[in-house]
């Protein structure tokens, strides 16, 4: 007897008929995905999510009556369902809306597929379907404010201020990073280096959005840049960021077959080599295991290591792996990590013991 596997139901929300038809064709061409409904605006998307119960939603940012941000907010409140945002442009205004949707609970954001005549169309279509399949597996829950969690005991009083903090982050990371930087300030504490997995074309807009939301001077890294206390640098899309022997930022090309580029493991392992016991590593929410091996390198070198707590993660994948291989000495929420960074800033120079 042959068992028929149930396909993954996808709801598409886009005000453009041409885009709905193109997205439908892409999804229907996948062996395990099927379109169970199409919405012309955010209001229809909210209603259809309640009625059809899709496994994942592909949501346009700009739509009449109700945009994708408000639709995502209502869906996550009333009928928690994985949402993937799509944008027709990588202009800053459009990207700001996409990242605001991520802050409301959407899992990922990417640019709309281009014309089927584009030479990269097949790869873009494959990547979109792969993302939908992955996001459909995420259990979405109503989020709670983790700000009170810092009242828990944090056994870190004997630690000293690190020279650098290296962070690996993926699905759910934009919201987690907002919390991490929430109470910190410029030109104080250790340098912070971040790898955040993002779709192509979104890194510069994300850094600008995060800088605006947090009030911090946050920038993409440049090759050869010297690392300084208090600075925040993100890896650009499509290149690895690491720390060289002379403690400058190094940007290098990706190798064929690598799953992530930039990769958290590349950054964290290089920080372990360059800074040893004066390094701190953090692995935030995300699918897979990126960052866990690098975090173990930092712990082996005597540095401080942290994994995001399960209850505060959108996807407890990367932090889970870090805990499983005993790479994480501490398990904290993003707000707890933020307050720890504030302590570092208040203490002052790297190497000084925390009170």
């Amino acid at each position: 007897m042959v068992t028929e596997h149930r396909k993954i139901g996808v709801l598409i929300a886009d005000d453009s008929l041409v885009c709905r038809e193109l997205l439908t064709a892409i999804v229907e061409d996948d062996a395990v995905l099927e379109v169970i409904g199409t919405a012309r605006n955010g209001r229809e998307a909210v209603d259809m999510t309640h009625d059809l119960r899709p496994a994942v939603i592909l949501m346009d940012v700009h739509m009449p009556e109700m945009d994708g941000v408000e639709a995502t907010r209502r869906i996550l409140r009333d009928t928690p369902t994985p949402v993937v945002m799509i944008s027709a442009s990588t202009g800053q205004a459009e990207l700001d809306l996409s990242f605001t949707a991520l802050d409301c609970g959407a899992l990922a954001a990417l640019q709309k597929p281009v014309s089927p005549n584009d030479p990269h169309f097949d790869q873009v279509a494959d990547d979109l379907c792969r993302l939908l399949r992955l996001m459909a597996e995420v259990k979405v829950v109503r989020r709670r404010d983790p700000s009170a969690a810092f009242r828990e005991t944090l056994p870190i009083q004997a630690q000293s201020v690190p020279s650098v903090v290296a962070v690996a982050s993926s699905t759910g990371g934009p919201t987690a990073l907002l919390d991490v930087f929430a109470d910190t300030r410029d030109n104080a504490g250790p340098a912070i280096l971040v790898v955040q997995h993002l779709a192509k074309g979104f890194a510069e807009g994300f850094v600008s959005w995060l800088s605006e939301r947090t009030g911090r001077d946050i920038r993409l890294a440049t090759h050869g840049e010297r690392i300084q206390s208090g600075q925040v640098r993100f890896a650009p899309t499509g290149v690895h960021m690491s720390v060289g022997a002379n403690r400058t930022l190094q940007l290098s090309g990706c190798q064929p077959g690598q799953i992530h580029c930039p990769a958290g493991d590349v950054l964290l392992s290089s920080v372990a080599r360059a800074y040893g016991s004066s390094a701190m590593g953090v692995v935030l929410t995300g699918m897979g295991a990126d960052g866990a091996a690098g975090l173990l390198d930092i712990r082996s070198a005597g540095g401080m290591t942290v994994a995001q707590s399960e209850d505060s993660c959108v996807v407890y994948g990367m932090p889970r792996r870090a805990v499983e291989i005993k790479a994480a000495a501490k398990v904290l929420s993003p707000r707890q990590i933020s307050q720890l960074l504030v302590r570092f800033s208040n203490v002052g120079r790297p190497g000084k013991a925390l009170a």
Side-chain angles (χ1 to χ4, degrees):
M1 179 178 178
V2 178
T3 301
E4 183 177 347
H5 294 284
R6 184 178 180 181
K7 289 191 172 184
I8 297 171
V10 181
L11 172 64
I12 294 174
D14 197 303
D15 60 308
S16 166
L17 175 60
V18 172
C19 287
R20 289 199 305 273
E21 291 179 342
L22 176 61
L23 293 170
T24 297
I26 290 172
V27 172
E28 290 288 352
D29 194 47
D30 187 88
V32 299
L33 300 174
E34 67 174 346
V35 176
I36 61 172
T38 58
R40 295 168 297 179
N41 55 63
R43 194 174 304 282
E44 286 187 0
V46 172
D47 293 340
M48 294 177 75
T49 299
H50 178 271
D51 295 339
L52 302 177
R53 301 296 170 127
V56 63
I57 303 167
L58 190 57
M59 180 89 71
D60 187 19
V61 173
H62 277 299
M63 291 183 289
E65 294 192 37
M66 182 186 295
D67 63 22
V69 175
E70 181 59 26
T72 297
R73 183 180 291 113
R74 296 193 186 191
I75 289 169
L76 269 290
R77 180 193 65 194
D78 301 332
T79 319
T81 306
V83 177
V84 173
M85 304 302 300
I86 50 173
S87 171
S89 165
T90 54
Q92 191 59 49
E94 191 97 356
L95 291 179
D96 285 349
L97 280 176
S98 295
F99 294 126
T100 300
L102 293 180
D103 190 30
C104 293
L107 297 181
L110 69 164
Q111 195 169 3
K112 286 184 181 180
V114 291
S115 165
N117 296 323
D118 187 278
H120 303 293
F121 177 79
D122 288 343
Q123 184 61 56
V124 171
D126 287 346
D127 291 344
L128 172 60
C129 290
R130 177 178 176 274
L131 180 63
L132 290 174
R133 294 194 300 269
L134 289 172
M135 295 303 103
E137 298 176 5
V138 177
K139 183 180 179 181
V140 178
V141 297
R142 294 177 179 85
R143 294 181 298 156
R144 63 179 180 83
D145 181 4
S147 58
F150 188 66
R151 298 303 177 185
E152 301 168 2
T153 301
L154 299 178
I156 57 169
Q157 285 76 6
Q159 297 279 6
S160 60
V161 178
S163 298
V164 65
V165 178
V167 182
S169 179
S170 190
T171 309
T175 298
L177 288 165
L178 268 180
D179 284 341
V180 166
F181 288 112
D183 302 311
T184 63
R185 63 182 190 274
D186 284 330
N187 304 317
I192 302 175
L193 309 177
V194 185
V195 164
Q196 167 64 49
H197 300 156
L198 292 167
K200 183 179 179 180
F202 278 68
E204 186 172 357
F206 174 64
V207 166
S208 177
W209 175 82
L210 188 62
S211 182
E212 177 70 23
R213 290 290 300 271
T214 62
R216 292 212 55 170
D217 181 16
I218 301 174
R219 306 182 188 184
L220 292 179
T222 57
H223 183 72
E225 183 179 7
R226 184 166 296 280
I227 297 170
Q228 301 178 9
S229 296
Q231 71 179 181
V232 181
R233 295 294 182 266
F234 274 68
T237 303
V239 295
H240 290 305
M241 178 173 72
S242 61
V243 177
N246 56 352
R247 296 188 175 180
T248 59
L249 292 174
Q250 305 294 306
L251 302 181
S252 58
C254 305
Q255 300 301 316
Q258 288 182 319
I259 298 175
H260 299 296
C261 188
D265 280 327
V266 171
L267 172 62
L268 271 63
S269 294
S270 73
V271 166
R273 292 190 297 270
Y275 286 89
S277 61
S278 65
M280 174 178 169
V282 178
V283 173
L284 297 177
T285 174
M287 292 183 131
D290 188 34
L295 195 70
L296 183 59
D297 287 342
I298 291 177
R299 188 171 191 185
S300 299
M304 187 188 308
T305 56
V306 175
Q308 185 174 343
S309 59
E310 181 175 5
D311 64 347
S312 67
C313 280
V314 171
V315 181
Y316 189 58
M318 289 160 47
R320 181 195 297 277
R321 183 57 181 162
V323 171
E324 288 175 346
I325 65 174
K326 296 180 170 50
K330 312 297 177 190
V331 175
L332 306 174
S333 73
R335 279 289 181 175
Q336 289 175 316
I337 298 169
S338 179
Q339 292 302 317
L340 182 55
L341 294 177
V342 170
R343 287 189 187 181
F344 293 157
S345 299
N346 292 339
V347 168
R349 66 181 184 276
K352 187 174 180 180
L354 292 173

